[in-house]
Amino acid sequence: MEKQTKTRKLGKGLATMTVATSLLVPSLIPETTALAVADTYPEKELDKAAAMQQKLKVQSVEVVEDGVKFILSDNFEAHIKLKTEDVAKVSILKQGEEIKQTDAVSNSSWETPEFEVNETESTLSLSTEEITVKINKQPFGVKFLDSEGNVINQDNMDYGAGYEDDKPYVFKDTSKDEAFYGFGEQTGDLNRRGESMGMWNNDAYNYNKDTKYLYTTIPFFIGLKEEKAYGIFFDNSNRSYYEMASESDDYYYFYANDGQLSYYFAYGPEIQDVVSRYSQLTGTMQRPPKWAIGLHQSKWGYETAEEIKGIVDKYREKDIPLDGVHLDIDHMDGFRNFTWGEDFTEDPAAFNEYLEDKGVSSVAVSDPGIKKDPGYYMYDQGTENNYWATNPDGSPYVGEVWPGDSVFPDFAREDVRDWWAQSHSKIFNAGVDGIWNDMNEPAVFDTPTKTQPLDVNYGDMKHSEFHNMFAHYEAMSSDKAFDILKPNKRPFVLTRDMYAGSQRYSTLWTGDNASTWESMRLATPMNNNVGMSGVPFVGNDIGGFAKRPSPELFARWLQMGVFVPFSRIHADNGSTVAFDPDAKNIPGQEPWQYGEEVEAISKKYIEQRYKLMPYLYNAFIEASEKGTPVQQPLVYQFQEDENTHDINQQFMFGSSLLVAPVVEEGATSNDVYLPEGETWVDYWTGEEHDGGQTVTKEADLGTLPLYVKKGSIVPHRNVQQHTGEKPLENLILDTYLDDKSTYTFTEDDGSTEDYKNGEYNETTFNLNRKGKTVEFTSNQKVSNYDSDLESYTLKLNNENMPRKVQAASTKYTQVDSAEEVKQTKNSYYYDQENETTFVNVPVNETKKVKVFFNNDKKTQKAKGKKKN
């Protein structure tokens, strides 16, 4: 068999390597090749001494309809605009300059709240029912207070705010107990206090804990002190910097290379309130198609359609659920975007039809670099219409990427975005279901900074201003492709890069991570902060992209990865795995590549994700409506518990499930902190624990520590091989009842946008414990969708044996197994070994269903039981 080779440029100062790959053996990887390539343009430091000397002063005041305008010294002016009762916008700019906003802001039509103005000789205050914005006049400075007069946040008056050599900056006071979250995609700890961060979208292949610049720019953060939260969004797309008490415990500051000083301030006091307000400002994600939240399989190096079909067949043969496969650049004709290579398949439509018959959707990669190749239709059309980004002299900018010399669409122009959207037709017509935007920093191989010169033109902007928004506008165009070419089909656009607001158009994966334990440990705090930055649909390459994981690492990563919003196994083509020119391509990271034990573990946890699909899908619906993260740090729900403020390796999956991945090599147990104020139930054993303590969970290779917040209803369904395999006829309500529980379940077709026209059902379930009786009711508030649901299986965990079950005069029949309950309406079963009651309730039941027990509820703390 002919040896297959690939080439990849690894970054500044490295020659292009032609590498063939060999064995799936991580030990073959030389440590010297583990490069976190992150070369960028030099940083622009802020001259703090010059900032200290500036001291802007108020010269005059004008109260306007939505706030106040100040004329300042040094030919500056300031605007304080009240957007809502708890959101204000602060801008400082040159006199006569128009206030700008980036496309991150999707809501600029808030109704100005009622406010009072109080002015003294030295201050002016704007007060709503929720906050007061107090402005000091000499020198100019801004202070935010809550309705009780407590200071939430204030400028540091030693340095203040303004411009230093055209760099906009703001200094803020802080205290030692203040924590900081958000900032989008960053390496390191959840709490960003003490960190020095930068935002400049960067091709950070094989990044590690010390890599400063990653793929996204989301200049939004949350401050938490004295159990009260606020948020700041710095609406500036230029390269920016954040010194979060990294130089002093008394202040933090942020600044940008250029652009205007303009930021939004939102007061909580709950973190959830802040995230909600930020999501209202910048928009929420769209409701995803169900297949997009299933498992995806990918590899850079699936070279033919037949190879991918074989992967899909093997998933089906092994009964391991799968919903998506990704087509990397191998599917193209010479890396030309929106083409099909004959070496990949001569009949792409037949290939996609094959996948569709297997219940698998395809996602095709899209790179923005268009090969400079007369006769290639994309190059010819773009050249004829002058669609390319240009050099200062007006000629198209040419840079080297995968196809060789390439030109780049000017996504700042609407006509270019429309053309790009229409250009998806070649792959959509062949049956592709989703788009995967890659290389969209934009990456360039033949420059030391790995991107374009700063003076390349995009619309009326220079690349220095547009760079961080390049992927945002590309995603906007890709999203529009669905509107044009797949009307009424929900879009799925995956992107490597983002700006604030990109969640409206795309899903984020966190780029080219590595197959290391360190990289796995980076994933949870990174995802948690991305989620609190308004991007709920986020995930990491399971198993790591660069190199290959050991069987143990793959098993632990997959356990965690199925509880991450976007769940995709992905790997590179082996070029960094073994530098052996005589080696053959190594396999991908499919679950069966790591032995029978790891395959069985993988199947168990992938099936668990599919059991939880009703719960997960409803979490995504909430995310699309409110911006609620699907993956949440513990502090998001439990900010009053200070022990949650710095927890890196735990998260909430939706509102009810606490996940504590094992992230240390060789570990067989895990210390898990359970937040105070709740009772927590071990998902696998049923053991109950009081919150406010750390418990040690034994965790062999097949066990992921997983806990349920008592009082929760967690809807399940039977396992499917893909999300559209079987209709949902029986919904399992996995209930951990204390005194009362409630859950609102939404159902729609999972694929179209008909829900926007009201075609969905919304049902609220309530359970109440009254002495020796548990009462269950369901109330369908909206009923506009033709559902296949026939019954609910009420699963009551940790309960005594029921004496009887009855709805008005209808007596339920006792049957012999949980499976028989699911098949038999008006029936119940008691699993004595696991102390669990199952009740089948018809969906059309209008009466209270009462479960009568012989005794009052018993506590089950410190009592282990098997999970059914």
Side-chain angles (χ1 to χ4, degrees):
M1 182 177 178
E2 185 180 356
K3 178 177 66 180
Q4 301 292 320
T5 63
K6 288 281 186 183
T7 62
R8 180 179 180 104
K9 292 198 171 179
L10 295 180
K12 180 181 177 183
L14 295 177
T16 302
M17 295 184 177
T18 301
V19 182
T21 54
S22 180
L23 303 173
L24 198 66
V25 182
S27 61
L28 293 178
I29 307 163
E31 285 301 316
T32 56
T33 66
L35 302 173
V37 181
D39 305 83
T40 62
Y41 288 96
E43 295 181 340
K44 288 187 178 181
E45 293 187 7
L46 185 72
D47 186 339
K48 292 167 58 181
M52 182 175 284
Q53 294 299 315
Q54 185 178 48
K55 303 295 186 191
L56 297 174
K57 299 177 182 179
V58 174
Q59 295 178 336
S60 66
V61 176
E62 178 187 358
V63 177
V64 293
E65 183 180 1
D66 58 353
V68 63
K69 175 183 177 180
F70 299 93
I71 299 299
L72 305 179
S73 57
D74 298 337
N75 292 316
F76 286 101
E77 63 186 51
H79 300 260
I80 311 295
K81 295 179 178 291
L82 295 171
K83 298 297 183 179
T84 71
E85 292 180 342
D86 49 19
V87 176
K89 182 179 183 181
V90 178
S91 301
I92 301 175
L93 55 154
K94 294 176 183 177
Q95 288 184 24
E97 191 175 15
E98 183 180 348
I99 300 175
K100 298 179 181 179
Q101 68 180 33
T102 69
D103 192 71
V105 178
S106 67
N107 185 354
S108 55
S109 60
W110 276 329
E111 185 176 342
T112 302
E114 293 184 3
F115 63 93
E116 294 182 358
V117 179
N118 292 290
E119 185 174 9
T120 68
E121 185 177 345
S122 59
T123 66
L124 183 143
S125 297
L126 304 174
S127 298
T128 71
E129 290 187 359
E130 297 295 333
I131 61 170
T132 292
V133 186
K134 189 172 185 178
I135 297 92
N136 195 72
K137 295 180 180 179
Q138 307 285 345
F140 178 82
V142 182
K143 180 186 298 185
F144 300 94
L145 304 96
D146 65 19
S147 59
E148 297 176 352
N150 302 306
V151 176
I152 309 164
N153 175 268
Q154 62 184 3
D155 289 357
N156 176 276
M157 299 310 293
D158 290 335
Y159 294 101
Y163 292 81
E164 184 278 307
D165 193 20
D166 292 329
K167 296 188 289 290
Y169 66 85
V170 182
F171 282 75
K172 297 284 189 179
D173 284 345
T174 185
S175 55
K176 291 182 179 180
D177 66 342
E178 185 169 11
F180 299 107
Y181 308 104
F183 302 97
E185 185 183 76
Q186 301 287 335
T187 61
D189 292 337
L190 173 71
N191 183 354
R192 307 306 295 161
R193 184 177 182 83
E195 299 293 336
S196 174
M197 291 169 285
M199 295 189 189
W200 178 254
N201 293 0
N202 179 49
D203 182 4
Y205 176 80
N206 194 19
Y207 59 85
N208 60 37
K209 63 181 177 62
D210 298 317
T211 305
K212 184 171 184 178
Y213 292 95
L214 294 182
Y215 301 91
T216 73
T217 291
I218 305 179
F220 168 74
F221 64 90
I222 298 167
L224 176 64
K225 62 179 180 179
E226 298 175 357
E227 299 183 3
K228 295 180 179 180
Y230 66 89
I232 288 178
F233 171 50
F234 182 28
D235 190 18
N236 186 315
S237 66
N238 289 270
R239 184 172 176 173
S240 55
Y241 312 85
Y242 304 82
E243 300 294 341
M244 305 310 292
S246 56
E247 300 175 1
S248 168
D249 276 334
D250 298 327
Y251 64 81
Y252 68 86
Y253 63 99
F254 53 91
Y255 69 100
N257 279 357
D258 206 340
Q260 288 187 347
L261 173 51
S262 191
Y263 69 90
Y264 294 81
F265 175 90
Y267 176 53
E270 301 296 321
I271 291 176
Q272 297 178 32
D273 300 329
V274 175
V275 174
S276 177
R277 279 300 195 200
Y278 174 74
S279 297
Q280 291 170 23
L281 177 68
T282 62
T284 58
M285 65 170 287
Q286 299 177 59
R287 188 175 297 192
K290 277 188 183 177
W291 68 263
I293 63 175
L295 180 73
H296 298 234
Q297 178 68 53
S298 183
K299 179 196 172 187
W300 173 32
Y302 286 148
E303 296 187 342
T304 67
E306 291 302 311
E307 183 179 3
I308 293 175
K309 287 160 65 175
I311 297 294
V312 170
D313 288 346
K314 204 157 191 176
Y315 265 97
R316 293 293 176 251
E317 290 166 9
K318 292 176 175 291
D319 291 329
I320 301 175
L322 179 71
D323 261 280
V325 292
H326 289 226
L327 316 180
D328 212 323
I329 54 177
D330 313 271
H331 84 275
M332 300 177 183
D333 176 14
F335 305 139
R336 294 170 179 84
N337 208 38
F338 301 133
T339 67
W340 294 94
E342 290 186 1
D343 290 343
F344 180 79
T345 180
E346 293 183 356
D347 193 343
F351 164 61
N352 281 290
E353 186 177 347
Y354 183 91
L355 297 180
E356 184 180 353
D357 289 343
K358 297 288 184 177
V360 174
S361 298
S362 61
V363 181
V365 76
S366 175
D367 286 352
I370 296 299
K371 184 176 179 63
K372 185 181 178 184
D373 179 20
Y376 166 34
Y377 78 101
M378 288 294 293
Y379 177 74
D380 291 346
Q381 290 176 16
T383 300
E384 180 181 356
N385 293 284
N386 297 315
Y387 284 160
W388 311 126
T390 60
N391 294 306
D393 65 3
S395 63
Y397 168 76
V398 179
E400 184 188 354
V401 280
W402 292 117
D405 283 350
S406 300
V407 289
F408 297 81
D410 183 355
F411 286 125
R413 291 167 48 188
E414 185 176 5
D415 60 335
V416 177
R417 295 195 300 272
D418 290 346
W419 166 71
W420 189 262
Q422 188 66 52
S423 299
H424 288 71
S425 61
K426 193 169 184 78
I427 54 175
F428 279 175
N429 290 343
V432 165
D433 302 288
I435 297 299
W436 167 17
N437 288 342
D438 198 5
M439 300 290 291
N440 51 350
E441 289 73 34
V444 176
F445 291 159
D446 55 348
T447 65
T449 60
K450 299 186 302 163
T451 192
Q452 301 166 359
L454 298 180
D455 59 358
V456 169
N457 295 307
Y458 284 92
D460 60 358
M461 290 177 276
K462 297 296 184 184
H463 179 226
S464 55
E465 180 181 359
F466 190 70
H467 175 88
N468 287 333
M469 298 190 294
F470 181 95
H472 175 87
Y473 282 94
E474 181 191 26
M476 184 191 303
S477 177
S478 299
D479 177 69
K480 189 170 186 177
F482 285 85
D483 293 336
I484 296 171
L485 302 170
K486 290 180 177 283
N488 203 37
K489 284 291 185 182
R490 297 185 200 176
F492 177 72
V493 178
L494 181 65
T495 185
R496 187 165 80 175
D497 293 76
M498 272 191 171
Y499 184 63
S502 297
Q503 68 272 5
R504 305 195 299 268
Y505 311 114
S506 55
T507 299
L508 177 69
W509 105 96
T510 60
D512 295 345
N513 59 358
S515 300
T516 64
W517 289 93
E518 176 189 286
S519 190
M520 182 183 173
R521 287 190 290 271
L522 292 177
T524 293
M526 184 181 293
N527 292 351
N528 286 344
N529 274 322
V530 168
M532 287 199 295
S533 301
V535 184
F537 206 173
V538 59
N540 330 94
D541 289 342
I542 294 173
F545 178 74
K547 304 186 262 191
R548 287 293 189 274
S550 66
E552 179 192 7
L553 176 56
F554 182 82
R556 290 301 194 191
W557 204 324
L558 188 133
Q559 288 172 356
M560 177 181 78
V562 300
F563 289 98
V564 166
F566 175 59
S567 188
R568 180 181 74 161
I569 302 168
H570 187 40
D572 76 359
N573 68 354
S575 64
T576 57
V577 178
F579 289 89
D580 178 0
D582 297 321
K584 296 178 181 178
N585 278 350
I586 64 172
Q589 288 179 185
E590 301 84 21
W592 50 84
Q593 299 291 355
Y594 299 91
E596 292 182 1
E597 181 186 17
V598 173
E599 180 183 333
I601 291 168
S602 300
K603 181 177 181 180
K604 169 187 172 181
Y605 281 92
I606 294 169
E607 287 182 342
Q608 187 62 49
R609 183 179 181 92
Y610 280 75
K611 289 178 184 177
L612 287 166
M613 198 56 66
Y615 171 78
L616 177 58
Y617 184 60
N618 273 259
F620 270 102
I621 290 175
E622 182 177 350
S624 70
E625 294 174 347
K626 301 178 182 178
T628 306
V630 176
Q631 178 177 346
Q632 308 162 1
L634 301 192
V635 70
Y636 179 81
Q637 287 195 38
F638 307 103
Q639 70 185 54
E640 290 79 13
D641 183 350
E642 293 184 1
N643 292 316
T644 68
H645 292 187
D646 299 298
I647 292 179
N648 290 314
Q649 300 302 333
Q650 295 178 214
F651 59 91
M652 297 296 294
F653 184 61
S655 61
S656 300
L657 296 177
L658 187 154
V659 185
V662 178
V663 295
E664 299 293 338
E665 185 175 11
T668 56
S669 65
N670 203 16
D671 291 337
V672 182
Y673 181 73
L674 303 174
E676 65 184 12
E678 303 287 350
T679 299
W680 297 91
V681 184
D682 187 315
Y683 185 83
W684 307 115
T685 69
E687 184 177 357
E688 294 188 6
H689 304 273
D690 288 330
Q693 64 169 322
T694 298
V695 299
T696 299
K697 171 66 178 177
E698 296 301 315
D700 60 19
L701 188 58
T703 302
L704 169 80
L706 182 64
Y707 294 83
V708 187
K709 185 168 60 176
K710 193 163 186 184
S712 297
I713 300 173
V714 183
H716 286 56
R717 67 165 297 157
N718 289 337
V719 173
Q720 303 181 91
Q721 293 307 299
H722 58 90
T723 53
E725 183 187 22
K726 301 172 185 176
L728 178 61
E729 296 176 341
N730 177 260
L731 181 66
I732 303 165
L733 301 176
D734 193 16
T735 305
Y736 300 80
L737 183 62
D738 194 357
D739 294 323
K740 61 176 60 178
S741 296
T742 186
Y743 185 90
T744 297
F745 176 72
T746 301
E747 187 184 16
D748 59 27
D749 63 25
S751 62
T752 75
E753 298 195 330
D754 290 344
Y755 71 92
K756 293 181 178 179
N757 298 319
E759 293 188 26
Y760 63 92
N761 294 342
E762 186 176 287
T763 305
T764 298
F765 306 111
N766 290 291
L767 287 104
N768 289 282
R769 189 185 300 278
K770 296 183 177 180
K772 299 177 183 179
T773 304
V774 169
E775 296 180 349
F776 169 78
T777 60
S778 64
N779 177 24
Q780 193 165 80
K781 298 178 180 179
V782 181
S783 180
N784 296 321
Y785 170 65
D786 186 13
S787 173
D788 293 301
L789 261 176
E790 298 176 356
S791 62
Y792 310 120
T793 295
L794 179 60
K795 182 182 178 186
L796 299 171
N797 295 279
N798 292 1
E799 296 288 353
N800 290 312
M801 179 180 289
R803 178 165 52 86
K804 65 176 181 177
V805 179
Q806 192 167 333
S809 60
T810 303
K811 295 182 179 180
Y812 280 45
T813 303
Q814 185 171 5
V815 295
D816 296 328
S817 71
E819 277 305 311
E820 190 177 353
V821 164
K822 295 175 187 177
Q823 304 301 322
T824 309
K825 293 182 180 180
N826 304 113
S827 66
Y828 73 97
Y829 166 72
Y830 183 67
D831 181 344
Q832 191 160 0
E833 180 182 1
N834 293 299
E835 296 173 338
T836 302
T837 298
F838 297 84
V839 182
N840 182 303
V841 181
V843 293
N844 58 0
E845 179 62 78
T846 59
K847 306 296 184 183
K848 285 183 181 178
V849 178
K850 297 183 179 181
V851 184
F852 298 89
F853 296 97
N854 288 317
N855 302 303
D856 289 334
K857 178 190 73 170
K858 67 179 182 180
T859 59
Q860 299 276 132
K861 293 175 185 174
K863 182 170 182 177
K865 306 189 304 301
K866 285 175 61 180
K867 179 75 178 177
N868 186 43

